[in-house]
């Protein structure tokens, strides 16, 4: 015991100074780390690439940092945010790029609230990721037009964030109605979130692609420069178009722009294409089809995605390795020795489009957690989908929607409902009057929560066919009725839930494919008819013989738009000059040109909706023969060169227009022409197609794009693509031309009468002969 005790005392005396020294060392090390780094390390997602342990080494004191600002409208609040009831709540999600860290943040609010709120009991909580950032008092005398600036703690930011607002409101000290009309607060959707961001270092490794060139956490429009040599070949440009479509698909709703530079580098991240012995600012490609990540020669914080090859085929092979690599690329540089192209896509099988040969389940369109809501004022359940716009739905009751839904059944509840809308237009209201109904055991087994107050329903609805086409959104909104029980007895149930069953289906399989063209509305929204095949295997793009940077940029933006519409790269599109257009006569054509750059403007003058006569822009007037033909068509076609009230043209050489017409090379093939008097004005067309408000004016077969107001018209002839069953086609034609149907009926009646007359005369003659 003495020996053991002595040894224990000796051990404690020897280890104590060692432990103290280690503790002091740990404290000193951690005291040197900025609080932002420790918080970032604790909250960063596992998806983030490795970064230096000390942000001070990458966070600049000035130029390296950037300040960005987002309005609440840009974060998803289309209308002002209205908080109602004793505990009204709303949230706005947003994200931070993987290669940036927040160093400072400020929230600018504009709000109004009910003057009936009790100041000592009412307040507004502002929270970031569940942490209270500010509590705003609501004094009675300042109910309208308030502003407030709040500093947010940068340590609370992660990759994915949620800004939350919660109203705690009371209007009386005694018994109160929890849904009284005086319990409200409204936040302007023009409020702003201002972030100061500093860059984080990212290794030169292909495994991080598409970082840093595209980050899905960045909600801003993708602006990625593409750099070429002084005179890129059409093969190089085609490879760039494939890569642009891939980035466009990744950018999705954000939109993608590709500023084009020739023989010069931008200051930031960029994609560089070098063929053969081309060099730009000291950059040169390796032998063979090669993809690499290179540091920017003059900006250490930027990176370059370098695509090189000795010929057009190797350039295309290098581009395909990125869009079809499926994350297998790694290291700073990869040389692709061989690849196999995927099979040709089938019509209407774009990954972003719903199938039209079978019913599609909601589980295929949206995650299950987004199909459930809770609370007395639940949010709208939204189901986004895209469908080909050439479905022929004439005289059909609509698109069958087999809806399966669940909800909390309230006793004595007679006015609760589930409203169904499509693209904001009302379809039907389903009554939720389930009081007193008992569920069977088989129904309970289908519920995620075995709650006796939950009810299950199935209904078949028909979505109006004229409201569906291209990009669509189904909206389901639960409205729960609170039954008034008397003073001091009303309370809000805390278990209200509603859900749409993911096994609900939408069925487009009963409709044939047949549509009238040209139609720039379907082109601008979903790229139809070119995107009928997702890889654009029946599409050719026609550029001038020597396209300039603006025309190349318009081509890249267009390919990005096609990739976004289908979620598939344009691997099989053809790219030719105007002199080679006869080689692609069997394809649909996208033609890009400016001023006198595009020779097809002269060659196809008789087909274009727009003509240039004596230096003036005029709409072509249909000839006498076409006037006669138009009178038999069902569309409302304008027969005058200047459609009344729909189009205004002005001189000055700054016209930017979008035209659509049937291909002069092959019937039932389509041509869309992007034209501008000045090549720089081609960007106006892209602006009109990307703007959610302006794109509504892109329709007909001729559009003039102008930031002051877009104009459209229908001046050319109509043609049809697709096919219909014979009987349905005849019914449709006769319904559109009743006079023709009447004449045909008369002819058939005369023919039948003639046949009957001849037959009866022959029978009568035979009888008379027998009697004789």
């Amino acid at each position: 015991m003495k020996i053991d005790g002595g040894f224990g005392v000796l051990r404690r005396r020897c280890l104590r100074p060692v432990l103290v020294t280690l503790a002091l060392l740990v404290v000193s090390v951690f005291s040197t780390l900025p609080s932002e780094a420790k918080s970032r390390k604790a909250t960063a997602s596992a998806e983030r690439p490795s970064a230096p342990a000390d942000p001070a080494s990458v966070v600049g004191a000035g130029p390296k940092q950037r300040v960005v600002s987002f309005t609440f409208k840009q974060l998803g609040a289309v209308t002002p945010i209205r908080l109602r009831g004793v505990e009204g709540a709303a949230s706005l999600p947003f994200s931070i790029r993987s290669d940036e860290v927040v160093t400072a943040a400020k929230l600018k609010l504009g709000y109004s609230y009910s003057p009936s709120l009790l100041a000592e009991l009412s307040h507004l909580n502002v929270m970031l990721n569940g942490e209270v950032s500010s509590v705003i008092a609501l004094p009675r005398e300042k109910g309208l037009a308030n502003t407030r600036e709040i500093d947010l703690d940068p340590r609370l930011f992660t990759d994915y964030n949620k800004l939350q607002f919660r109203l705690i409101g009371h209007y009386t000290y005694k018994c109160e109605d929890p849904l009284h009309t005086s319990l409200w607060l409204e936040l302007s959707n023009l409020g702003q979130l201002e972030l100061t961001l500093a860059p984080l270092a990212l290794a030169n490794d292909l495994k991080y692609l598409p970082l840093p060139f595209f980050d899905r956490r960045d909600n801003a429009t993708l602006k990625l420069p593409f750099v070429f040599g002084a005179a890129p070949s059409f093969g190089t440009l085609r490879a760039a178009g494939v890569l642009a479509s891939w980035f466009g698909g990744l950018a999705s709703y954000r939109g993608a722009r590709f500023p084009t530079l020739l023989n010069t580098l931008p200051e930031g991240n960029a994609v560089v294409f070098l063929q053969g012995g081309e060099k730009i600012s000291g950059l040169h490609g390796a032998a063979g089809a090669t993809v690499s990540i290179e540091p920017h020669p003059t900006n250490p914080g930027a990176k370059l995605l370098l695509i090189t090859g000795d010929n057009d085929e190797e350039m295309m092979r290098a581009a395909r390795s990125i869009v079809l690599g499926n994350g297998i690329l790694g290291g700073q540089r990869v040389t692709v020795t061989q690849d196999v192209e995927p099979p040709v896509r089938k019509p209407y099988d774009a990954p972003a489009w719903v199938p039209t040969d079978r019913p599609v389940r909601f589980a295929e369109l949206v995650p299950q957690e987004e199909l459930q809501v809770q609370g007395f004022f639940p949010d709208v359940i939204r189901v986004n989908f895209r469908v080909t716009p050439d479905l022929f739905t004439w005289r059909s009751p609509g698109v069958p929607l087999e809806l399966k839904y669940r909800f909390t059944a309230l006793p004595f509840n007679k006015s609760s409902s589930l409203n169904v809308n499509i693209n904001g237009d009302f379809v039907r209201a389903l009554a939720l009057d389930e009081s007193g109904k008992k569920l069977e055991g088989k129904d309970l087994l289908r519920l995620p929560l075995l709650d006796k107050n939950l009810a299950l329903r199935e209904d078949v609805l028909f979505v109006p066919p004229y409201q569906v086409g291209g990009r669509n959104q189904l909206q389901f909104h639960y409205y729960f009725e609170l039954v008034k029980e008397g003073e001091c007895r009303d309370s809000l149930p805390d278990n209200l839930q509603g859900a749409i069953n993911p096994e609900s289906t939408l069925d487009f399989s009963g409709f044939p494919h047949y549509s009238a063209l040209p139609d720039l509305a379907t082109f601008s929204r979903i790229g139809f008819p070119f995107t009928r095949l997702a890889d654009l295997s029946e599409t050719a793009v026609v550029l001038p013989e020597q396209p300039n940077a603006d025309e190349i940029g318009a081509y890249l933006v267009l390919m990005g738009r096609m990739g976004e519409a289908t979620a598939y790269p344009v691997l099989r599109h053809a790219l030719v000059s105007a002199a080679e257009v006869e080689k692609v006569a069997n394809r649909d054509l996208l033609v890009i040109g400016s001023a006198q750059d595009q020779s097809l403007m002269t060659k196809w003058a008789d087909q274009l909706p727009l003509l240039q006569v004596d230096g003036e822009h005029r709409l072509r007037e249909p000839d006498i023969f076409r006037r006669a033909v138009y009178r038999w068509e069902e569309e409302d076609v304008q027969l005058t060169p200047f459609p009344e009230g729909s189009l205004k043209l002005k001189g000055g050489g700054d016209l930017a227009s979008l035209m659509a017409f049937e291909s002069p090379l092959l019937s039932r093939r389509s041509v869309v022409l992007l034209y501008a008097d000045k090549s720089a004005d081609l960007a106006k067309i892209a602006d009109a197609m990307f703007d959610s408000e302006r794109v509504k004016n892109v329709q007909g077969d001729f559009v003039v794009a102008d930031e002051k107001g877009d104009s459209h018209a229908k001046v050319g002839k109509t043609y049809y693509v697709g096919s219909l069953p014979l009987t349905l086609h005849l019914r449709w034609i006769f319904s559109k031309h009743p006079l023709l149907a009447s004449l045909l009926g008369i002819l058939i009646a005369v023919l039948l009468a003639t046949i009957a007359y001849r037959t009866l005369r022959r029978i009568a003659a035979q009888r008379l002969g027998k009697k004789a």
Side-chain angles (χ1 to χ4, degrees):
M1 292 294 293
K2 290 183 179 179
I3 294 177
D4 291 342
F7 178 75
V9 172
L10 178 62
R11 182 174 57 186
R12 287 194 298 272
R13 288 180 179 178
C14 293
L15 290 179
R16 183 176 299 167
V18 175
L19 294 175
V20 172
T21 303
L22 288 176
L24 292 175
L25 180 60
V26 171
V27 171
S28 63
V29 170
F30 276 90
S31 63
T32 60
L33 292 176
S35 58
E36 290 87 349
K38 289 184 284 188
S39 175
R40 196 58 156 181
K41 184 177 180 181
T43 58
S45 169
E47 297 180 8
R48 275 190 181 271
S50 58
D54 185 3
S57 63
V58 293
V59 176
K64 290 185 178 181
Q65 300 193 34
R66 68 185 184 108
V67 178
V68 297
S69 180
F70 303 98
T71 65
F72 292 173
K73 186 174 183 179
Q74 292 172 319
L75 295 179
V78 180
T79 59
I81 303 171
R82 189 173 181 86
L83 308 179
R84 297 181 297 173
V86 292
E87 289 191 14
S91 61
L92 296 174
F94 65 97
S95 52
I96 306 296
R97 285 181 59 94
S98 298
D99 57 355
E100 291 181 322
V101 62
V102 178
T103 59
K106 182 180 295 185
L107 190 64
K108 300 179 180 180
L109 301 177
Y111 61 97
S112 300
Y113 55 89
S114 170
S116 299
L117 296 179
L118 297 176
E120 54 271 29
L121 298 180
S122 305
H123 54 275
L124 173 66
N125 287 344
V126 180
M127 295 175 287
L128 177 62
N129 296 328
E131 298 284 346
V132 176
S133 295
S134 180
V135 177
I136 301 176
L138 304 176
R140 285 196 175 191
E141 63 275 8
K142 297 182 179 181
L144 298 177
N146 294 275
T147 59
R148 184 74 175 266
E149 287 192 5
I150 302 171
D151 291 325
L152 301 177
D153 190 342
R155 295 174 298 178
L156 298 178
F157 288 87
T158 63
D159 290 338
Y160 297 98
N161 305 274
K162 183 177 290 186
L163 187 62
Q164 301 157 296
F165 304 97
R166 182 177 297 276
L167 169 65
I168 306 299
H170 297 279
Y171 67 94
T172 180
Y173 293 101
K174 298 181 180 180
C175 303
E176 65 181 353
D177 181 356
L179 297 179
H180 197 275
T181 55
S182 64
L183 298 174
W184 63 267
L185 183 145
E186 188 171 282
L187 290 159
S188 170
N189 62 346
L190 299 180
Q192 291 184 334
L193 174 63
E194 186 179 288
L195 304 175
T196 302
L197 304 169
L200 290 173
L202 185 68
N204 297 326
D205 198 324
L206 291 168
K207 70 179 181 180
Y208 295 130
L209 284 177
L211 294 174
F213 309 99
F214 167 75
D215 192 327
R216 66 184 71 257
R217 299 170 182 82
D218 190 348
N219 293 321
T221 300
L222 174 63
K223 295 181 180 179
L224 180 61
F226 274 37
V227 182
F228 303 90
S233 69
F234 273 45
T236 297
L237 293 178
R238 182 168 176 264
V242 169
L243 203 56
S245 69
W246 182 65
F247 277 112
L250 293 174
S252 185
Y253 65 90
R254 305 168 183 83
R257 299 295 187 90
F258 306 98
T260 302
L261 302 174
L262 301 180
N263 215 25
T264 184
L265 292 178
E267 294 184 359
N269 299 328
V271 182
V272 182
F273 298 84
L274 297 177
Q275 182 173 334
E278 291 179 325
K279 294 183 180 180
I280 299 177
S281 301
L283 286 175
H284 58 85
T290 305
V291 180
S292 64
I293 300 288
E294 304 292 340
H296 196 290
T298 59
N299 182 3
K303 299 186 185 301
L304 304 174
L305 177 59
L306 184 59
I307 313 296
T308 62
D310 295 328
N311 50 52
D312 291 346
E313 177 55 35
E314 289 188 350
M315 294 294 293
M316 190 65 188
R317 188 187 306 159
R320 282 198 301 263
S321 70
I322 296 176
V323 302
L324 300 176
N326 296 323
I328 64 173
L329 300 181
Q332 182 177 358
R333 182 177 292 106
V334 170
T335 299
V336 186
T337 57
Q338 185 179 1
D339 72 334
V340 178
E341 289 191 74
V344 178
R345 304 291 298 197
K346 297 179 180 179
Y348 311 108
D349 73 343
W353 295 9
V354 299
T356 57
D357 57 352
R358 62 173 176 83
V360 58
R361 298 180 302 117
F362 282 16
E364 302 175 56
L365 305 176
V366 65
Q368 182 174 350
E369 57 269 18
E370 296 183 15
L371 294 174
Q372 303 183 31
V373 292
Q374 62 182 9
F376 200 84
F377 295 107
D379 198 2
V380 179
I381 297 175
R382 296 176 173 86
V383 178
N384 295 302
F385 67 94
R386 302 179 189 181
V387 66
T388 175
D390 67 343
L391 295 175
F392 191 78
T393 58
W394 178 69
R395 287 195 175 177
S396 71
V399 181
L401 170 60
E402 185 177 334
L403 186 62
K404 303 176 182 180
Y405 56 101
R406 305 185 301 272
F407 56 93
T408 302
L410 299 175
F412 312 108
N413 191 323
K414 297 182 179 179
S415 298
S416 296
S417 65
L418 171 60
N419 286 7
V420 182
N421 290 37
I422 178 72
N423 300 325
D425 294 325
F426 178 75
V427 175
R428 185 176 167 187
L430 304 173
L432 307 182
D433 51 353
E434 292 293 329
S435 59
K437 178 181 177 180
K438 294 184 179 180
L439 297 181
E440 298 179 0
K442 63 179 182 179
D443 294 331
L444 290 174
L445 292 176
R446 300 172 62 183
L447 301 176
L449 298 175
L450 300 181
D451 186 344
K452 294 181 180 180
N453 290 326
L454 285 173
L456 177 66
R457 275 273 190 90
E458 294 186 15
D459 279 289
V460 176
L461 292 73
F462 290 92
V463 179
Y466 56 85
Q467 294 178 335
V468 179
R471 299 167 190 263
N472 307 274
Q473 185 183 82
L474 278 168
Q475 296 129 358
F476 304 94
H477 199 174
Y478 280 95
Y479 291 90
F480 292 110
E481 177 194 18
L482 177 64
V483 178
K484 299 293 183 180
E485 298 182 358
E487 187 176 2
C488 297
R489 298 176 60 189
D490 295 337
S491 62
L492 287 178
D494 59 0
N495 66 336
L496 292 182
Q497 300 180 56
I500 304 298
N501 194 304
E503 296 302 314
S504 301
T505 60
L506 197 60
D507 189 1
F508 293 96
S509 61
F511 304 103
H513 296 275
Y514 191 74
S515 65
L517 292 177
D519 185 4
L520 288 174
T522 58
F523 169 76
S524 62
R525 288 169 174 79
I526 204 166
F528 189 82
F530 306 94
T531 50
R532 187 178 71 92
L533 288 154
D535 55 5
L536 268 62
S537 56
E538 294 185 0
T539 296
V541 181
V542 185
L543 288 177
E545 302 290 339
Q546 295 181 343
N548 58 37
D550 294 318
E551 291 162 341
I552 295 174
Y555 158 66
L556 295 176
V557 167
L558 202 54
M559 294 300 97
R561 186 68 171 173
M562 297 296 170
E564 186 275 336
T566 62
Y568 193 81
V570 294
L571 293 170
R572 297 182 182 273
H573 79 288
L575 182 63
V576 299
S577 65
E580 302 172 306
V581 71
E582 297 290 342
K583 298 179 181 179
V584 291
N586 62 338
R587 293 181 176 231
D588 296 312
L589 303 177
L590 288 167
V591 184
I592 301 173
S594 56
Q596 303 302 318
D597 239 1
Q598 183 52 266
S599 60
L600 293 181
M601 289 286 292
T602 303
K603 186 176 180 180
W604 291 348
D606 292 339
Q607 306 292 330
L608 300 181
L610 178 70
L611 296 175
Q612 291 191 15
V613 181
D614 299 329
E616 294 181 354
H617 301 105
R618 297 180 183 177
L619 282 177
R620 178 178 51 80
E621 184 176 7
D623 55 33
I624 297 176
F625 173 75
R626 284 181 178 168
R627 284 176 183 269
V629 172
Y630 287 167
R631 291 188 174 93
W632 292 96
E633 295 186 354
E634 74 283 356
E635 280 78 25
D636 182 16
V637 180
Q638 301 286 352
L639 299 181
T640 59
F642 294 94
E644 181 179 353
S646 64
L647 183 64
K648 295 181 180 179
L649 299 176
K650 62 180 181 180
D654 58 354
L655 178 70
S657 61
L658 194 61
M659 311 178 212
F661 50 95
E662 187 175 15
S663 174
L665 305 178
L666 187 65
S667 62
R668 302 181 73 181
R669 284 295 184 182
S670 302
V671 178
V672 170
L673 171 62
L674 285 74
Y675 169 80
D677 289 335
K678 298 177 181 178
S679 61
D681 287 336
L682 287 169
K684 293 181 179 179
I685 301 174
D687 293 339
M689 293 174 62
F690 280 125
D691 192 307
S692 59
E693 295 298 325
R694 294 178 60 185
V695 75
K696 298 175 183 177
N697 292 323
V698 181
Q699 51 185 290
D701 62 3
F702 179 63
V703 172
V704 174
D706 193 308
E707 61 273 9
K708 296 181 181 179
D710 305 308
S711 305
H712 64 271
K714 177 71 171 69
V715 295
K717 71 172 184 177
T718 300
Y719 60 99
Y720 297 88
V721 296
S723 61
L724 294 175
L726 179 60
T727 55
L728 179 60
H729 202 166
L730 291 175
R731 288 172 51 206
W732 179 63
I733 291 176
F734 290 148
S735 70
K736 297 298 181 183
H737 308 298
L739 179 60
L740 179 62
S742 301
L743 291 175
L744 184 60
I746 293 174
L747 289 176
I748 293 175
V750 171
L751 179 61
L752 292 176
T754 302
I755 295 173
Y757 176 72
R758 289 179 177 273
T759 302
L760 292 174
R761 285 195 61 182
R762 185 170 61 253
I763 294 174
Q766 291 175 353
R767 288 179 176 177
L768 291 175
K770 289 180 179 180
K771 290 180 178 180

